[in-house]
Amino acid sequence: MFEIIFFTSNRTKTQHAQYLVRNYDVKISNFREKTYHANYDEPRISDREKLLKESLDSAKDKAISAGLSPNQPFILEDTSVIIDALSKNNIEYPGTDIKYWMRETNFETIDLQLLFSNNNRNVIVRSDLVLYLPIIPPYEFYFSSYTKGTITEKVNYALQTNPIYPWLDNKTFNKWFCPEAESTIISEMPIEVADKYDFRKGAFQDLLIFLHKKNLIKNKTKTTRIQRDASFLSSLHIVVGLSCTGKTTIADYLAEKHSFLHIEASDFMHLIYLETHGERSDVKIGEFAQRILKERPTLVAEKVLDFLEKYNWSNVIITGFRKAEEVDFILDNYLTSGDIKVINITASSELRIKRKVIRNRSETTNTTENLEERDLRELGMGLEILQKRSGILTIENNETKSIYYEKYSSECLKSDTYNAETIEKSKIDGNKQRLYDLVIITLYRLKTDGEKSNYLTTGEICRNLNNFFMLDKPKFRENIGRLLNMKFDVFFEVKYDKKNRRKTYRLSNTGVGHAKLLLKKYSL
């Protein structure tokens, strides 16, 4: 697939670009996913042509410093806003200074200025896109597009960022911009309407047409996804059920006893959330998950499928799916002769409440009413339909763990096709092992019971790692920071410490499952 690096520190811009190219076999990757180097230097000047040229020159230098391939294409984009009534003497206002202007301006100020300018609220929002394509002279290509409209007369202070399409937000100029003859701001529009007025859309369309003509990209076909070979799978268990029924408990048992790889679907939902909004967003993960499952019900399953292909483990247990479409996507897209089961775990609400309190999660539910609210949400997402499907095994978990394990083993591990994963032990050498694996093992060794594990800074991870492994050359906090900060990873949960203004980390359930298999492989 043709890859383009996007030079931007703005996560939302990257998400927007990926959305705009979704119908082509082209991959937009953020510069920070490739390197820990700083972004390009953008001059704060009003001359658009000069700004783009100097920005491009800086981006070229940064690409070289970061060690990117000399033939690596990349893009950068500049957004500008031209308010008709306040632009004088051929000088656009605020023009290319829009992102700084938005930080310094409130709606009351701009509204008053427009009222004193005959209430001329006409405005143009413009996008300038630069493509650096070192394999085709003259190497530098420019595309632009714009949308005309007006500045709204009434601001919506209760506006929330769109959970799935974060460029329709409550922070940028979109929160005040009514495109063309519309009376609704673009951030409040349904995506199919907002697409019609997308000021970046034309520039990206021209970019795609250009690359298509150069035979560098193709349109994605609309045919059904080709089934993938999963001959490596001996056993695949897809376990569903309400919160605290025992899904993770049985996954831990299978990982310890039979070397199953545990994949927690909600970890992939969190990953998609972080990739979309980052760790500091005020968008609620619950609302985001509900919208994703409604509008793109197989997205999590697609991520899980890619993960399965990457690790090729023989015995796998997946927990946390909420919709029948997710389960069907896995089953329909994998060709395997292995043992595949879908299992529904049930337990009484009284026991689930007790388990919830013991877990001490941040969202601890300690009343029947609150547990019922959570149940209704999960059932409404599609779990109720999934539980009622024919062919699903149902196992009750209302007694001791040993009885639960015995029931599960009797019902689900009796197939002749089931084979336990064999792992050849080797001694772990911290001096030769990947830093990635050392970080995972370190976080696992620091994990406490249930979900009480603390989130740790990169400095704390580094200190514990160096204490656990007697290294000839100790690792540095900066090394771990680069590893964890370049991009989000399904193995790690990320939490932003507002007080100290830094990211903190702990293992996700999927990360715990991976750590257990690493420890089975290596002797400490």
Side-chain angles (χ1 to χ4, degrees):
M1 182 178 288
F2 189 74
E3 183 180 34
I4 301 175
I5 306 298
F6 195 173
F7 269 87
T8 179
S9 58
N10 188 319
R11 181 183 312 281
T12 300
K13 269 192 181 183
T14 303
Q15 290 289 321
H16 196 179
Q18 291 169 345
Y19 174 80
L20 291 171
V21 305
R22 65 193 182 282
N23 293 325
Y24 287 82
D25 60 345
V26 56
K27 179 181 180 182
I28 301 286
S29 300
N30 192 281
F31 178 62
R32 287 300 297 272
E33 295 177 22
K34 300 293 181 180
T35 176
Y36 204 63
H37 284 68
N39 213 328
Y40 71 92
D41 299 318
E42 180 182 358
R44 191 173 178 179
I45 54 179
S46 59
D47 186 325
R48 180 179 291 108
E49 185 176 340
K50 186 176 180 182
L51 182 150
L52 293 173
K53 180 61 178 173
E54 290 186 11
S55 296
L56 178 60
D57 289 342
S58 174
K60 289 179 185 177
D61 291 339
K62 296 294 184 182
I64 293 171
S65 300
L68 296 184
S69 167
N71 292 326
Q72 176 62 59
F74 66 75
I75 57 174
L76 56 89
E77 191 268 353
D78 183 72
T79 299
S80 54
V81 171
I82 304 102
I83 301 174
D84 186 41
L86 305 179
S87 298
K88 308 290 184 182
N89 302 319
N90 294 322
I91 298 177
E92 299 172 351
Y93 182 88
T96 58
D97 210 40
I98 179 61
K99 70 178 178 181
Y100 303 103
W101 182 81
M102 285 298 298
R103 296 173 190 168
E104 302 160 359
T105 305
N106 57 43
F107 181 78
E108 288 73 19
T109 300
I110 185 63
D111 188 49
L112 186 61
Q113 287 178 300
L114 295 176
L115 288 173
F116 279 103
S117 301
N118 298 319
N119 205 27
N120 175 5
R121 311 184 83 86
N122 294 332
V123 65
I124 296 174
V125 184
R126 172 172 172 153
S127 172
D128 286 277
L129 184 63
V130 184
L131 168 67
Y132 179 64
L133 191 60
I135 58 175
I136 297 179
Y139 312 127
E140 302 168 9
F141 304 91
Y142 295 78
F143 311 92
S144 65
S145 57
Y146 62 87
T147 300
K148 293 182 178 180
T150 58
I151 294 176
T152 184
E153 295 189 5
K154 186 176 182 181
V155 69
N156 178 6
Y157 291 105
L159 179 68
Q160 297 295 313
T161 295
N162 189 302
I164 301 181
Y165 311 106
W167 53 93
L168 304 179
D169 64 2
N170 60 1
K171 297 179 178 64
T172 65
F173 191 74
N174 279 342
K175 67 180 179 179
W176 297 340
F177 180 53
C178 300
E180 296 186 358
E182 300 284 348
S183 58
T184 303
I185 59 171
I186 194 167
S187 288
E188 291 182 314
M189 293 178 171
I191 188 62
E192 59 272 12
V193 180
D195 281 349
K196 291 165 50 180
Y197 303 112
D198 193 326
F199 70 94
R200 291 190 179 113
K201 184 177 181 180
F204 274 90
Q205 280 185 335
D206 290 342
L207 166 71
L208 293 168
I209 291 170
F210 171 78
L211 294 174
H212 190 268
K213 287 181 178 178
K214 298 296 183 181
N215 295 318
L216 294 173
I217 63 173
K218 295 178 181 179
N219 288 90
K220 286 182 179 176
T221 61
K222 295 183 179 180
T223 56
T224 304
R225 187 170 182 165
I226 299 174
Q227 287 187 314
R228 304 190 194 187
D229 178 18
S231 55
F232 58 86
L233 270 176
S234 296
S235 298
L236 173 61
H237 291 193
I238 301 176
V239 176
V240 301
L242 291 168
S243 176
C244 298
T245 52
K247 302 185 297 295
T248 302
T249 299
I250 200 63
D252 289 343
Y253 170 77
L254 292 179
E256 293 285 355
K257 188 76 174 177
H258 301 291
S259 300
F260 269 67
L261 172 63
H262 177 206
I263 296 175
E264 170 55 52
S266 63
D267 291 337
F268 290 83
M269 179 64 80
H270 277 269
L271 176 63
I272 297 167
Y273 171 83
L274 289 170
E275 290 174 340
T276 303
H277 294 287
E279 73 284 351
R280 306 184 200 184
S281 176
D282 54 6
V283 174
K284 294 180 179 179
I285 179 65
E287 181 184 356
F288 177 81
Q290 285 181 301
R291 288 283 299 274
I292 284 287
L293 289 173
K294 180 180 179 180
E295 299 186 29
R296 302 185 64 185
T298 66
L299 183 58
V300 170
E302 290 172 32
K303 293 279 189 180
V304 170
L305 194 67
D306 292 337
F307 182 88
L308 280 170
E309 267 198 340
K310 179 179 179 180
Y311 285 91
N312 282 10
W313 201 256
S314 297
N315 300 317
V316 175
I317 178 170
I318 302 173
T319 60
F321 280 148
R322 294 288 183 268
K323 296 182 76 71
E325 290 96 325
E326 295 177 299
V327 174
D328 290 338
F329 186 87
I330 298 294
L331 301 181
D332 293 344
N333 285 279
Y334 251 162
L335 287 170
T336 181
S337 58
D339 177 36
I340 301 180
K341 291 183 175 69
V342 182
I343 302 115
N344 176 40
I345 308 297
T346 63
S348 70
S349 59
E350 291 80 7
L351 275 174
R352 291 167 53 222
I353 291 171
K354 291 179 181 178
R355 293 168 185 167
K356 187 72 168 173
V357 173
I358 292 171
R359 280 188 186 182
N360 194 27
R361 281 184 173 176
S362 59
E363 70 271 23
T364 299
T365 304
N366 47 31
T367 69
T368 303
E369 182 182 6
N370 286 337
L371 186 66
E372 288 176 351
E373 288 175 0
R374 184 184 179 105
D375 289 352
L376 287 172
R377 185 176 73 249
E378 293 185 344
L379 292 169
M381 287 179 179
L383 183 58
E384 183 175 21
I385 296 172
L386 186 56
Q387 288 177 324
K388 292 179 180 178
R389 288 181 54 173
S390 61
I392 289 185
L393 290 170
T394 296
I395 296 177
E396 290 186 357
N397 178 22
N398 289 319
E399 300 176 82
T400 64
K401 283 186 179 181
S402 59
I403 293 176
Y404 178 36
Y405 297 153
E406 185 178 341
K407 281 183 183 179
Y408 192 97
S409 299
S410 173
E411 291 292 325
C412 305
L413 300 180
K414 59 185 180 181
S415 171
D416 293 337
T417 60
Y418 171 74
N419 293 299
E421 182 80 34
T422 56
I423 302 177
E424 185 177 345
K425 277 274 191 181
S426 60
K427 188 176 185 339
I428 190 167
D429 184 344
N431 296 302
K432 296 180 180 179
Q433 229 61 49
R434 292 191 313 162
L435 177 61
Y436 186 75
D437 290 347
L438 296 180
V439 168
I440 289 174
I441 293 172
T442 298
L443 286 174
Y444 180 74
R445 294 187 68 176
L446 294 169
K447 180 178 169 60
T448 54
D449 292 337
E451 298 192 15
K452 303 176 186 177
S453 299
N454 293 324
Y455 285 86
L456 303 177
T457 66
T458 53
E460 291 168 332
I461 296 170
C462 182
R463 185 166 57 253
N464 281 284
L465 187 153
N466 286 325
N467 287 336
F468 286 154
F469 305 101
M470 302 303 293
L471 305 177
D472 296 337
K473 295 182 179 179
K475 303 298 181 183
F476 295 99
R477 179 184 62 80
E478 291 76 10
N479 302 127
I480 295 172
R482 291 190 184 98
L483 175 72
L484 295 177
N485 288 326
M486 282 176 64
K487 63 179 180 178
F488 294 110
D489 190 306
V490 75
F491 289 150
F492 305 104
E493 293 181 3
V494 185
K495 182 179 180 181
Y496 186 67
D497 179 353
K498 292 182 179 179
K499 181 180 179 180
N500 297 300
R501 301 173 64 184
R502 59 192 181 186
K503 293 181 185 179
T504 56
Y505 304 85
R506 72 179 184 185
L507 285 185
S508 66
N509 282 332
T510 303
V512 169
H514 184 64
K516 288 180 177 179
L517 296 181
L518 286 176
L519 289 174
K520 280 179 174 286
K521 181 177 181 181
Y522 299 122
S523 299
L524 290 175

